[in-house]
Amino acid sequence: MPSTMGRLRRRILTPSVSETLLETRGFHRKTPEAGQLLETIGSRFLEGYGHAMAARTTDEAEAHLEAIPERFRGFAYEGAGMAYGVLDGMPGWKRDGVDRLLAGRGGAHIYMVYVGIGWSMGRLPRFRWPNVDSLDPLLRWLVLDGYGFHQAYFHTDRYVNQQYRDERFPWPAHDFPNYTSRAIDQGIGRALWFVCGTDPGVVATTIAKFPKTRHADLYSGVGLAATYAGGCDEEELTALRDQAGPHRGALAQGSAFAAEARLRAGLMVPHTASATRVLCGLEPDEAARITQEVRPRATGTGSLPAYEVWRQAIAERIAAVTERR
């Protein structure tokens, strides 16, 4: 059972579920079903956040997280990642909550937990942000992906409607600083799936308003969200693929990332398979296997971090495999 202090933390620090309602956010509502899906994802995220905030131990938090239905469990772990990121950034906290979460069952959800850390950066002062050197050197860019999602979700007018971009983002300032904006854009692209209500036409129209140099990263995020979260049938997914035009490779790469994240955590669901078949031309296990086959061992080459080398290799491999079929 949560301690008195845990219940107090949850009550004070957990955002209201009303903040995830489409009407509150001003997001597009495609259909009642799509709207309900997105709001359920938001509420499950906050449920995971609340369990982590209140729990005495990570084992106690995991017991609650593992009881959440498979379709939404990854989002709950994302919320837990945010909660422990917030707690690790608070004065007087031991700063090992994320590590303890990843050492347990949260390790299977490392992609989602890292994204959740990025959410916490949107709620913490910069001097309390995580130490970049303590994170996985390949996956740490997912933290900025999470930050980008948070900013586009909660500051939609600035980051989506005005296409704001911080060209001097201070984290990580010492390691491939020119890539930070691109990683943030990938998170903004994921958020567009929510902002645009899973409507491929609205997504395409919204992305078209951004500078063309940002389109590939935005479509990558869209592909990940469409595959992981769902909300479209195959006809709509086909329209999304076609609208991506020259960025179909980026869309496929994001979709493959989502398949890997779900398979790694044992959370495969039908809509993920539908998405990889349309966006990648592959079954989800094939798409996920490619992400592991081309995973780099080095930390980076030249001006690109290993993470971007990895993303490009995934897109190229998917294109080569589908061309042979």
Side-chain angles (χ1 to χ4, degrees):
M1 293 291 291
S3 64
T4 300
M5 183 60 68
R7 289 193 294 270
L8 183 62
R9 285 197 306 267
R10 179 167 57 187
R11 184 186 313 161
I12 294 174
L13 298 175
T14 303
S16 169
V17 71
S18 65
E19 291 299 306
T20 66
L21 299 178
L22 268 63
E23 284 75 14
T24 302
R25 303 257 55 84
F27 294 169
H28 175 69
R29 184 180 292 274
K30 181 180 69 176
T31 63
E33 294 77 15
Q36 182 178 20
L37 170 65
L38 296 179
E39 290 175 348
T40 300
I41 289 171
S43 66
R44 290 297 191 177
F45 176 97
L46 289 179
E47 184 178 352
Y49 180 99
H51 287 316
M53 272 290 170
R56 295 173 184 266
T57 65
T58 50
D59 287 343
E60 182 180 309
E62 286 171 0
H64 292 292
L65 295 168
E66 290 296 317
I68 291 173
E70 289 184 354
R71 179 164 191 177
F72 303 106
R73 193 178 303 158
F75 298 106
Y77 270 96
E78 184 180 354
M82 178 186 177
Y84 284 118
V86 169
L87 291 172
D88 285 356
M90 293 178 63
W93 196 259
K94 196 175 179 181
R95 305 203 75 170
D96 65 347
V98 169
D99 290 341
R100 287 186 285 108
L101 179 65
L102 291 173
R105 293 185 177 183
H109 303 268
I110 186 170
Y111 302 112
M112 304 302 285
V113 171
Y114 266 44
V115 167
I117 297 171
W119 278 71
S120 73
M121 288 170 60
R123 301 299 175 104
L124 292 169
R126 289 183 176 182
F127 71 92
R128 302 302 300 183
W129 283 0
N131 175 13
V132 65
D133 294 319
S134 69
L135 302 171
D136 183 287
L138 177 64
L139 299 180
R140 61 191 178 194
W141 297 101
L142 287 168
V143 173
L144 288 180
D145 182 306
Y147 176 84
F149 187 105
H150 177 279
Q151 298 303 90
Y153 191 92
F154 288 104
H155 307 288
T156 310
D157 185 58
R158 189 180 195 198
Y159 281 83
V160 177
N161 299 335
Q162 299 178 39
Q163 299 90 45
Y164 172 76
R165 195 180 206 187
D166 187 347
E167 299 291 353
R168 295 185 178 182
F169 196 77
W171 188 100
H174 67 296
D175 188 12
F176 302 102
N178 293 331
Y179 190 74
T180 56
S181 293
R182 293 194 57 188
I184 291 170
D185 272 354
Q186 292 152 30
I188 292 173
R190 280 195 310 113
L192 290 181
W193 194 242
F194 290 73
V195 173
C196 300
T198 78
D199 188 321
V202 178
V203 167
T205 300
T206 303
I207 290 179
K209 297 175 182 177
F210 284 78
K212 290 183 179 180
T213 55
R214 302 176 65 179
H215 289 187
D217 289 318
L218 294 171
Y219 268 113
S220 174
V222 168
L224 198 159
T227 304
Y228 197 97
C232 273
D233 59 27
E234 291 192 8
E235 182 178 353
E236 291 175 303
L237 288 166
T238 300
L240 175 65
R241 181 195 64 197
D242 294 345
Q243 289 163 349
H247 306 299
R248 286 176 60 173
L251 191 73
Q253 175 270 313
S255 179
F257 259 15
E260 162 63 5
R262 279 206 171 270
L263 281 167
R264 179 187 177 98
L267 302 178
M268 183 52 56
V269 288
H271 74 255
T272 294
S274 297
T276 60
R277 289 170 191 148
V278 174
L279 303 183
C280 302
L282 301 169
E283 294 297 323
D285 60 321
E286 295 177 301
R289 186 164 56 249
I290 285 174
T291 70
Q292 293 308 303
E293 289 174 349
V294 302
R295 183 174 178 139
R297 296 182 180 179
T299 57
T301 57
S303 61
L304 293 177
Y307 183 71
E308 178 57 23
V309 174
W310 187 24
R311 294 175 67 247
Q312 291 180 11
I314 292 169
E316 291 168 2
R317 177 68 68 84
I318 291 174
V321 170
T322 55
E323 283 177 5
R324 292 197 297 266
R325 294 187 174 182

